[in-house]
Amino acid sequence: MTETKKTTIVLFSGDYDKAMAAYIIANGAAAYDHEVTIFHTFWGLNALRKDEPIQLKKSLPEKMFAKMMPRGADKMGLSKMNFAGFGPKMIKDVIKKHNALPLPQLIEMAQEQDVKLVACTMTMDLLGLQEQELLENIEYAGVAAYLADAEDGNVNLFI
Amino acid sequence: MTETKKTTIVLFSGDYDKAMAAYIIANGAAAYDHEVTIFHTFWGLNALRKDEPIQLKKSLPEKMFAKMMPRGADKMGLSKMNFAGFGPKMIKDVIKKHNALPLPQLIEMAQEQDVKLVACTMTMDLLGLQEQELLENIEYAGVAAYLADAEDGNVNLFI
Amino acid sequence: MTETKKTTIVLFSGDYDKAMAAYIIANGAAAYDHEVTIFHTFWGLNALRKDEPIQLKKSLPEKMFAKMMPRGADKMGLSKMNFAGFGPKMIKDVIKKHNALPLPQLIEMAQEQDVKLVACTMTMDLLGLQEQELLENIEYAGVAAYLADAEDGNVNLFI
């Protein structure tokens, strides 16, 4: 009898390339039957935003964050060589050429593989993000739930 | 009889938001009775700097680092949307509005909860930081001490 | 009979200072008889590039990546205070003054200590990097090999 292995990733970064790395590791771990959780916090929450604008009552700083932050995985920039959006285009071109998966499809695949996608409620509050703005089938939790997952984890990463 | 769980975080980043994430996880883990260590290295050392200027004999590059690096947690910038200091102000405003704790208070709370705060002596040497410039009740150690903590850890993160 | 401890680091970052931290931890862990692996992916692959230009047939985006990315560890920039290359010079000066090891020597030492250096084949494809461009004695593998190392690891870090 073998125990299920666990992979728990904090996705803090809002960069396209870092989120890709997180989701590639997550999908790989799920394929190897790990129980996988990605805990999205701070800028990492943007990977879970829907790409259409959602009309919601927001305070001024919340409106500013909503406007300045990328609306969904496809709109995120690169951590290096972003070049005002040219870098992401180049990366997406080579992804396509190599038949690799772009970030939105990596997220879909993770959901199909039952990777648990969690949005950090505390940082949602700070950035003024509401549940209606995020993808379906997301769980909402705080640092206590993260630690409960991570403390028995085999692979714990902060990305 | 259960063994004490261990959380060991390397705080490499000098960004306000990343340091917040590190300290929120550390305080959460301490509340769940983990033995918690934050090992501050490179720019992460700035979170431990006192905010007043300290007169010390320094070489020219040491003076430049001392001048260019933020003096203490409250002066650190954001990893994203820093906008020449406007981003940190916005974050601090929403932290206040949501009754969350700003970084300096998160550090105080960590000290009250006996989170072990360690400053990496090797990178202190490189950046010319001296013990008198850092907060009280900090431990000083190198990579060997970090590994001794981390190798038995349940949650190991590099932030 | 004690089991060998394992340290497995994903080096995603192409920053000189972050790569230094990765290699210092790796060399420390190897000195404590850990089995150590550094899995280089995305911009972290640049730490493994040879410093001389290699003539290879490449597509246009591959040529652009090759040109824009630093050719080898010594040419990488800092994550903070890069100041158009002035920051790395300052860091290298203080490293020399303190008899610490610069990044290329840290990599050599890792190879001498049998740290397993792996290049991620999937991101090599995306960035158009070929084996001839990277240092000797590198292993080539994908996310499955990474997970096989990491899932039994004591210290797992994403840098």
Side-chain angles (χ1 to χ4, degrees):
Chain A
M1 205 189 97
T2 58
E3 225 182 310
T4 306
K5 304 247 177 182
K6 284 179 91 164
T7 291
T8 305
I9 295 171
V10 179
L11 182 56
F12 172 96
S13 167
D15 298 320
Y16 191 93
D17 45 346
K18 285 193 159 179
M20 265 188 82
Y23 273 89
I24 289 169
I25 294 170
N27 282 323
Y32 286 92
D33 294 322
H34 285 214
E35 236 181 272
V36 187
T37 302
I38 307 181
F39 185 82
H40 300 72
T41 188
F42 281 91
W43 321 109
L45 288 165
N46 292 318
L48 300 179
R49 285 178 86 187
K50 291 178 188 153
D51 57 7
E52 74 266 34
I54 315 273
Q55 294 303 331
L56 291 167
K57 230 181 128 90
K58 295 202 175 198
S59 69
L60 181 63
E62 287 172 355
K63 271 184 204 157
M64 290 178 68
F65 276 122
K67 190 144 193 178
M68 292 183 300
M69 295 191 306
R71 203 183 284 121
D74 194 46
K75 305 226 176 57
M76 288 156 72
L78 291 184
S79 66
K80 285 272 162 195
M81 310 209 302
N82 193 52
F83 300 131
F86 180 68
K89 197 189 160 321
M90 249 174 90
I91 284 281
K92 287 172 200 172
D93 282 351
V94 292
I95 286 170
K96 205 171 178 181
K97 195 190 137 203
H98 288 279
N99 297 312
L101 291 179
L103 184 54
Q105 275 81 331
L106 286 171
I107 296 173
E108 268 179 47
M109 181 192 269
Q111 291 197 304
E112 283 159 19
Q113 291 199 95
D114 292 322
V115 170
K116 188 165 75 176
L117 304 185
V118 185
C120 167
T121 47
M122 194 210 94
T123 46
M124 282 178 68
D125 274 358
L126 289 186
L127 302 176
L129 291 172
Q130 301 177 29
E131 298 196 10
Q132 299 97 303
E133 296 174 85
L134 303 190
L135 302 180
E136 312 299 326
N137 303 314
I138 302 298
E139 297 186 24
Y140 295 90
V143 69
Y146 163 68
L147 284 164
D149 277 322
E151 70 180 19
D152 303 319
N154 297 78
V155 181
N156 280 320
L157 302 172
F158 184 99
I159 296 183
Chain B
M1 205 188 97
T2 58
E3 226 182 308
T4 307
K5 306 248 177 182
K6 282 178 94 165
T7 290
T8 305
I9 296 171
V10 178
L11 182 57
F12 172 96
S13 166
D15 298 319
Y16 192 94
D17 45 347
K18 286 193 159 180
M20 263 187 82
Y23 273 90
I24 289 168
I25 294 171
N27 282 322
Y32 286 91
D33 294 322
H34 285 213
E35 236 182 271
V36 187
T37 302
I38 307 181
F39 185 82
H40 299 72
T41 189
F42 281 91
W43 321 109
L45 288 166
N46 292 318
L48 301 179
R49 284 179 88 188
K50 290 177 188 155
D51 56 8
E52 74 266 33
I54 315 274
Q55 293 304 329
L56 291 167
K57 230 180 129 91
K58 295 203 176 196
S59 69
L60 182 63
E62 287 173 355
K63 271 183 206 158
M64 290 178 68
F65 276 123
K67 189 145 191 176
M68 292 183 300
M69 296 191 304
R71 203 183 283 121
D74 194 47
K75 304 224 177 57
M76 287 157 73
L78 291 184
S79 67
K80 285 272 161 196
M81 310 209 303
N82 192 53
F83 299 130
F86 180 68
K89 198 190 160 318
M90 248 174 88
I91 285 282
K92 287 173 200 171
D93 283 351
V94 291
I95 285 171
K96 204 171 178 181
K97 194 189 136 204
H98 288 280
N99 297 313
L101 291 180
L103 184 54
Q105 274 81 332
L106 287 171
I107 295 174
E108 267 179 48
M109 182 193 267
Q111 291 198 305
E112 283 160 16
Q113 289 199 97
D114 293 321
V115 170
K116 189 165 75 178
L117 303 185
V118 185
C120 168
T121 47
M122 194 210 94
T123 46
M124 283 178 68
D125 273 359
L126 289 187
L127 302 176
L129 291 172
Q130 300 177 29
E131 298 195 11
Q132 298 96 304
E133 296 174 84
L134 303 190
L135 302 179
E136 312 299 326
N137 304 314
I138 302 298
E139 297 187 22
Y140 295 90
V143 70
Y146 163 68
L147 285 164
D149 277 321
E151 71 179 18
D152 303 319
N154 297 77
V155 181
N156 280 320
L157 302 171
F158 184 99
I159 296 183
Chain C
M1 206 189 96
T2 58
E3 226 182 307
T4 305
K5 305 248 177 181
K6 283 179 93 166
T7 292
T8 305
I9 297 172
V10 178
L11 182 57
F12 172 97
S13 166
D15 299 319
Y16 192 94
D17 45 347
K18 286 193 159 178
M20 264 188 82
Y23 273 90
I24 289 169
I25 294 170
N27 282 323
Y32 285 92
D33 294 321
H34 284 215
E35 237 182 271
V36 187
T37 302
I38 307 181
F39 185 83
H40 300 72
T41 189
F42 282 90
W43 321 109
L45 289 166
N46 291 319
L48 301 179
R49 286 179 86 188
K50 290 177 187 154
D51 56 8
E52 73 266 33
I54 315 273
Q55 294 303 330
L56 291 167
K57 231 182 128 87
K58 296 203 174 196
S59 70
L60 181 63
E62 287 172 354
K63 272 183 204 155
M64 290 178 68
F65 276 123
K67 191 145 190 176
M68 292 183 301
M69 295 191 305
R71 203 182 284 122
D74 194 46
K75 303 225 177 58
M76 289 157 72
L78 291 185
S79 67
K80 285 273 161 194
M81 310 209 302
N82 193 53
F83 299 130
F86 181 68
K89 197 189 160 320
M90 247 174 90
I91 285 281
K92 287 172 200 172
D93 283 351
V94 291
I95 286 170
K96 204 170 178 180
K97 194 190 137 204
H98 289 280
N99 297 311
L101 291 180
L103 184 54
Q105 275 81 331
L106 286 171
I107 296 174
E108 267 179 47
M109 181 193 268
Q111 291 197 304
E112 284 160 16
Q113 289 198 96
D114 292 321
V115 170
K116 189 165 75 176
L117 303 186
V118 185
C120 168
T121 47
M122 194 211 94
T123 46
M124 281 178 69
D125 273 359
L126 289 186
L127 302 176
L129 291 171
Q130 300 176 31
E131 298 195 9
Q132 298 97 304
E133 296 174 85
L134 303 190
L135 302 179
E136 311 299 325
N137 303 313
I138 302 298
E139 298 187 22
Y140 295 90
V143 69
Y146 162 69
L147 284 163
D149 277 322
E151 71 180 18
D152 304 319
N154 297 78
V155 181
N156 280 320
L157 302 171
F158 184 100
I159 296 184

